[in-house]
Amino acid sequence: MKYMIGVDIGTTSTKSVLYDEKGQFIMKHNIGYPLHTPNVDVSEENPDELFDAVLMTIKYVMREANIAKEDLKLISFSAQMHSLISMDASNQRLTENLTWADNRASKYADIIKNKHDGLEIYKRTGTPIHPMSPLAKIFWMKHEQQEIYNQTAMFADIKTYIFYHLFEKFVIDQSMASSTGMFNLETLQWDTEALSLLGITKAQLPEIVPTTHILKGMKHRYAALMGIDPETPVIVGASDGVLSNLGVNAYKKGEVAVTIGTSGAIRTVIDKPRTDYKGRIFCYVLTEDHYVIGGPVNNGGVVLRWLRDEMLASEVETAKRLGVDPYDVLTKIASRVKPGSEGLIFHPYLAGERAPLWSADARGSFFGLTLSHKKEHMIRAALEGVLYNLYTVYLALIEVMNETPSTIKATGGFAKSEIWRQMMADIFDTNLIVPESYESSCLGACVLGLKALGEIEDFSIIEDMVGTTNAHTPNQENVKVYQQLISIFINLSRSLEDRYTEIANFQREHMTD
């Protein structure tokens, strides 16, 4: 029997998942690391800790599953998007890894948007103009961190950094490149105009390779440490979001994948690059025939965590004593209230928002509150608000796709809750399926690896690897209620746009970190 390892380099942990060659899950190992967030704008981590996590998680699954090095068919990679590390001419790093959540480039993203034809850059590159993108981060560096900017010989992302250490080559796959804001979707090369805005050259960026590119000849000391052959094919792979679609078998026309973890995302696969004239959604590469469009939201499970910690302290205490998951308590309380929370609407922008608003200043609010609303209404409204917001991204997707999706495949922590799954089917008025997929990004990476090795022609093999656990159909009574409230939800966030900026500015002045 041959085996495959999918590695996912996440924002707060790296995992290596071992599968057999049929995609059956064998085991996984996960190593976490701290995210340095001294204030509301900074979010960075030490890339050497992430490199160590890659080495140690692969070593662990190889050793614990007792896999002979000659039985390892491939290792394939998935990684967090929008990361940035500056390196000098002697390949030493000048910065930590700036993650997607780093907001220091906020002001400069606005300058690009308003003074440098940001919408046109977005239309060419598919990455919305936002502080998360390396485009905005390098522009910020150019103005605020000139010394580092002037010394930088290579702007790398986290995967490029790790491959450099393993193979002494600077490469970036088309998928990761397409989330930098500097990659032209038509030419599949670095975008000349974006580079000239930043004042950098192609020589300061990694070589772009397809997502199926194979690296061999790893440094012997690292191969020995992990217990693998230095000639084992390492597939550069893609970004976590696009691989997650593949890993839940949502890559065919009309299939949409929704993931809600701490944050959330909604994505679908199309066969040619396409962007949105309003700039609401991203377009990233999976392969040269598959492009993923969609939108990430900042406010998913983080809203539930806030509810749990700030509004349900006594209930959580009781749940702990009874050995019950506090989140089950939360959804049970929400289920006591009718769909629509009797006209209470929650805007879930507790952490600013990416899609569809692309505003770091967006803020949360309850609207429609009356004396007859109780705590349980607020809890249900918050759960509904997270889904309303995702639904607005879904509407933008439908507009760009030019068709209504047939099925939604739901993954992430929220998919465990029956109440939340049904709520989603009703709000989206679409059939919902929960795939029984173990670690979708890692499985997607391995299937991409099989294609890279020429063992499969297309991705149809994934169907057999991914089972289905639950299916939900919309309840039309509830659909009617939600359709009325969604239009109020959308109009409200539009009309609050200027107020968001005012209150955010007030908070920056008056709130202590």
Side-chain angles (χ1 to χ4, degrees):
M1 177 63 88
K2 296 280 190 185
Y3 299 89
M4 324 184 269
I5 294 176
V7 182
D8 181 39
I9 306 159
T11 312
T12 52
S13 72
T14 284
K15 57 178 163 269
S16 286
V17 185
L18 181 71
Y19 301 92
D20 68 20
E21 57 193 333
K22 293 192 166 58
Q24 290 302 302
F25 172 83
I26 311 285
M27 71 177 302
K28 69 171 177 176
H29 187 52
N30 194 60
I31 292 178
Y33 27 78
L35 198 57
H36 183 59
T37 52
N39 61 44
V40 71
D41 282 334
V42 175
S43 176
E44 54 185 30
E45 55 202 4
N46 180 339
D48 299 318
E49 290 181 11
L50 279 69
F51 177 61
D52 289 346
V54 169
L55 299 178
M56 300 321 285
T57 53
I58 294 175
K59 176 184 177 175
Y60 182 93
V61 297
M62 286 296 289
R63 188 188 65 211
E64 293 300 308
N66 201 14
I67 306 294
K69 53 178 80 169
E70 59 274 12
D71 289 336
L72 182 63
K73 185 194 281 273
L74 64 91
I75 300 174
S76 187
F77 279 81
S78 156
Q80 49 167 294
M81 289 185 263
H82 317 298
S83 56
L84 182 71
I85 303 161
S86 281
M87 297 174 76
D88 67 16
S90 54
N91 300 326
Q92 297 302 303
R93 62 182 179 82
L94 299 163
T95 63
E96 299 287 359
N97 180 42
L98 278 61
T99 73
W100 61 271
D102 196 285
N103 263 329
R104 282 174 285 181
S106 221
K107 180 175 120 186
Y108 292 94
D110 288 342
I111 293 170
I112 294 172
K113 210 181 274 185
N114 302 323
K115 296 188 179 163
H116 296 284
D117 227 345
L119 189 61
E120 287 310 308
I121 296 176
Y122 155 74
K123 284 179 184 168
R124 291 196 309 276
T125 65
T127 305
I129 306 297
H130 185 270
M132 69 180 183
S133 79
L135 172 85
K137 290 182 174 112
I138 296 172
F139 197 61
W140 160 75
M141 225 175 248
K142 180 182 178 179
H143 292 88
E144 302 268 338
Q145 309 254 315
Q146 277 125 343
E147 204 173 316
I148 291 173
Y149 171 85
N150 291 334
Q151 286 180 57
T152 302
M154 177 59 61
F155 290 104
D157 73 308
I158 187 61
K159 214 188 325 171
T160 297
Y161 184 80
I162 284 164
F163 288 151
Y164 169 73
H165 284 286
L166 294 174
F167 297 98
E168 287 205 334
K169 282 182 182 146
F170 284 112
V171 294
I172 186 169
D173 63 78
Q174 291 170 345
S175 180
M176 295 293 281
S178 67
S179 67
T180 62
M182 303 181 284
F183 175 84
N184 188 300
L185 286 168
E186 293 299 332
T187 63
L188 301 182
Q189 293 301 324
W190 296 118
D191 184 78
T192 322
E193 288 168 60
L195 267 51
S196 89
L197 168 68
L198 301 177
I200 64 173
T201 67
K202 285 180 186 174
Q204 288 170 279
L205 295 168
E207 178 199 347
I208 297 168
V209 296
T211 55
T212 49
H213 184 74
I214 297 169
L215 294 166
K216 285 185 178 180
M218 186 185 288
K219 284 184 187 166
H220 284 244
R221 71 172 183 274
Y222 293 131
L225 173 74
M226 292 186 273
I228 64 173
D229 188 310
E231 293 305 313
T232 302
V234 172
I235 288 84
V236 296
S239 59
D240 52 5
V242 304
L243 286 172
S244 179
N245 261 57
L246 184 54
V248 297
N249 188 28
Y251 69 92
K252 294 191 281 295
K253 206 168 155 53
E255 294 179 330
V256 168
V258 172
T259 312
I260 302 180
T262 307
S263 54
I266 180 162
R267 298 178 290 266
T268 191
V269 179
I270 53 176
D271 57 5
K272 280 189 200 68
R274 213 172 298 161
T275 51
D276 167 36
Y277 70 101
K278 291 183 187 165
R280 292 166 296 182
I281 62 171
F282 58 65
C283 178
Y284 300 143
V285 180
L286 170 54
T287 69
E288 288 182 22
D289 309 315
H290 298 88
Y291 294 80
V292 176
I293 55 170
V297 298
N298 288 355
N299 299 280
V302 70
V303 174
L304 268 74
R305 195 167 67 215
W306 172 77
L307 281 175
R308 180 196 71 189
D309 297 346
E310 305 304 331
M311 292 174 78
L312 291 167
S314 62
E315 288 87 342
V316 166
E317 212 36 63
T318 310
K320 272 185 194 153
R321 278 205 304 276
L322 297 171
V324 178
D325 185 335
Y327 290 116
D328 289 343
V329 176
L330 204 113
T331 50
K332 206 168 232 72
I333 292 170
S335 69
R336 294 183 206 146
V337 175
K338 287 193 303 201
S341 307
E342 299 188 2
L344 182 60
I345 291 175
F346 178 68
H347 273 86
Y349 309 130
L350 303 184
E353 193 48 287
R354 286 183 288 167
L357 306 178
W358 296 102
S359 163
D361 289 345
R363 293 295 182 263
S365 57
F366 281 103
F367 178 75
L369 202 52
T370 68
L371 288 171
S372 61
H373 286 116
K374 299 185 172 64
K375 183 155 68 175
E376 48 262 46
H377 290 89
M378 296 172 89
I379 291 163
R380 179 163 190 125
L383 296 180
E384 289 171 338
V386 169
L387 295 175
Y388 290 161
N389 187 48
L390 267 170
Y391 181 74
T392 60
V393 185
Y394 179 70
L395 290 177
L397 264 191
I398 291 173
E399 216 175 294
V400 175
M401 284 165 75
N402 220 353
E403 64 174 310
T404 304
S406 50
T407 317
I408 291 174
K409 299 192 174 176
T411 58
F414 92 108
K416 295 186 185 103
S417 156
E418 185 165 348
I419 295 157
W420 221 11
R421 290 193 306 260
Q422 186 58 49
M423 209 183 269
M424 184 165 199
D426 295 342
I427 288 170
F428 282 62
D429 190 14
T430 307
N431 294 327
L432 183 106
I433 289 172
V434 181
E436 187 184 18
S437 184
Y438 289 98
E439 307 300 351
S440 54
S441 295
C442 291
L443 183 60
C446 285
V447 171
L448 192 63
L450 290 172
K451 193 166 191 299
L453 294 182
E455 299 207 357
I456 54 173
E457 282 291 301
D458 57 28
F459 296 135
S460 54
I461 187 174
I462 198 105
E463 198 127 1
D464 303 325
M465 298 178 175
V466 180
T468 300
T469 50
N470 291 285
H472 293 260
T473 51
N475 172 326
Q476 288 308 316
E477 286 296 298
N478 300 346
V479 170
K480 279 186 202 130
V481 172
Y482 285 133
Q483 290 294 325
Q484 284 175 274
L485 292 169
I486 285 161
S487 66
I488 300 170
F489 177 93
I490 291 171
N491 291 334
L492 199 58
S493 58
R494 282 184 193 142
S495 60
L496 285 173
E497 213 167 305
D498 294 341
R499 305 294 82 78
Y500 286 148
T501 305
E502 289 169 5
I503 199 70
N505 287 337
F506 176 87
Q507 288 170 346
R508 283 187 192 106
E509 279 172 48
H510 295 272
M511 281 169 86
T512 50
D513 287 336

